[in-house]
């Protein structure tokens, strides 16, 4: 049961990270200015790193 709750938690966090990446990508298309673009690019990279880590954890649980 605890493993199921953990899988559900990971799946929810994965979905959030994917939504965040999609939203940041949309923001990037409308962004103007190097500073704003760099900030968004950094946030996308952070979210992608988080997503990769969550996917590794999910894979390890099965």
């Amino acid at each position: 049961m605890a493993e199921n709750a953990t899988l559900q938690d990971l799946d929810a966090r994965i979905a959030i990270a994917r939504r965040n990446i999609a939203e940041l990508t949309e923001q990037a298309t409308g962004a103007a200015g190097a500073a704003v673009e760099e900030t968004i690019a950094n946030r996308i990279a952070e979210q992608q790193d988080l997503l990769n880590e969550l996917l590794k954890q999910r894979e390890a649980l099965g």
Side-chain angles (χ1 to χ4, degrees), residues 3-55:
E3 182 177 318
N4 192 27
T6 302
L7 287 175
Q8 289 176 344
D9 178 56
L10 280 172
D11 287 343
R13 292 175 65 198
I14 288 167
I16 291 168
R18 285 181 171 150
R19 275 195 309 269
N20 288 344
I21 291 169
E23 289 173 7
L24 288 166
T25 302
E26 285 181 30
Q27 288 177 16
T29 61
V36 173
E37 291 174 2
E38 183 177 347
T39 300
I40 293 172
N42 288 339
R43 291 178 62 202
I44 290 172
E46 290 171 2
Q47 287 297 305
Q48 187 62 54
D49 290 344
L50 174 62
L51 178 58
N52 291 341
E53 181 60 33
L54 291 170
L55 290 171

